[in-house]
Amino acid sequence: MSGTKTKNSKTATSIIMIGFWPDYERQCFEAFTDKNIEISIFDPRNIFKEKKYKSLVPRNIKNFLYKKKIKQIIRRNTESIFVFQDSRVFIEFLLRNNSPGSHVLFRNTISEKNSPNIGKLKARGYSLWSFDNNDCEKYNINFYNQFTQYVPGIDKTAIEYDFSFIGRDKKRGPLLQSIKDKLEGYGFSVFTKVISDNEMPISYCGYLKD
């Protein structure tokens, strides 16, 4: 695990964040300070971080190894509170394994395709959280406020564009171009940058800089 914080007391509550966390979310967790809480971050992808052959490993094998590692972490940290990201692999893990007192953080709105899992997760005793008021009301789950980490100096940076998109194509290039054309037709300035699969993902700070 990485990003362990606030090791100030043996009595501090241990919270372990398990997920494919993007860097802007990791920054939030790492910046959190409270002498009574110790936050650790586990991203299963780090299992293959230094492995040159990681691109050759089939997804089902990766998922198997991710789940195996999560089991080990839970067994070794019986006093910790676990917070899972809402990715499919973690939902599958929670539905097939017992992790009493765990929480699931929905960072996206809940699709109709995934809605059947909500009742199953609740039936197993997990606490579910969403930032979307409609989802909270519809599925009777807990509400949390959206969060992001402040980047020092960003408020002093001149705004050059009204709208921006930086990310991978994901077969949505024509849609992005259509949105860009419409916005520019209304007089807005738009910046887009499509990252190819051969390029390294851009960091959160790099995104803001661009």
Side-chain angles (χ1 to χ4, degrees), residues 144-163:
Y144 73 88
N145 288 308
Q146 275 283 41
F147 56 87
T148 188
Q149 178 59 25
Y150 169 71
V151 177
I154 192 64
D155 54 331
K156 298 179 176 62
T157 302
I159 297 175
E160 297 182 35
Y161 297 93
D162 298 307
F163 296 91

Side-chain angles (χ1 to χ4, degrees), residues 7-138:
K7 291 185 176 179
N8 297 304
S9 170
K10 290 183 179 180
T11 60
T13 299
S14 168
I15 299 177
I16 300 178
M17 313 293 296
I18 297 178
F20 301 133
W21 305 110
D23 61 348
Y24 57 85
E25 291 184 333
R26 288 199 305 273
Q27 287 181 6
C28 291
F29 306 146
E30 291 169 353
F32 181 83
T33 55
D34 187 311
K35 67 180 181 179
N36 297 313
I37 296 175
E38 175 186 315
I39 292 182
S40 302
I41 304 167
F42 174 65
D43 186 329
R45 294 172 298 187
N46 289 337
I47 295 172
F48 296 98
K49 192 172 184 179
E50 305 299 328
K51 305 293 190 295
K52 294 181 180 179
Y53 57 80
K54 64 181 179 181
S55 61
L56 303 176
V57 181
R59 178 174 291 183
N60 62 323
I61 300 299
K62 286 182 179 178
N63 288 345
F64 171 78
L65 294 173
Y66 294 161
K67 293 171 185 176
K68 182 178 179 180
K69 187 64 176 179
I70 293 170
K71 276 186 181 180
Q72 293 173 353
I73 289 173
I74 291 175
R75 288 182 188 138
R76 293 171 185 167
N77 299 274
T78 55
E79 301 299 317
S80 296
I81 297 170
F82 296 93
V83 179
F84 288 82
Q85 189 191 42
D86 59 339
S87 294
R88 178 179 57 84
V89 64
F90 306 123
I91 300 297
E92 289 177 354
F93 174 85
L94 290 169
L95 290 175
R96 293 181 179 141
N97 297 273
N98 289 321
S99 180
S102 288
H103 301 253
V104 181
L105 198 66
F106 287 92
R107 296 293 275 146
N108 297 288
T109 53
I110 300 169
S111 67
E112 290 298 324
K113 179 182 178 181
N114 292 324
S115 61
N117 289 326
I118 302 301
K120 295 175 185 177
L121 290 166
K122 290 171 69 176
R124 294 182 74 91
Y126 301 124
S127 295
L128 311 185
W129 299 80
S130 173
F131 67 91
D132 186 90
N133 281 305
N134 291 331
D135 280 348
C136 290
E137 184 176 347
K138 182 176 181 179

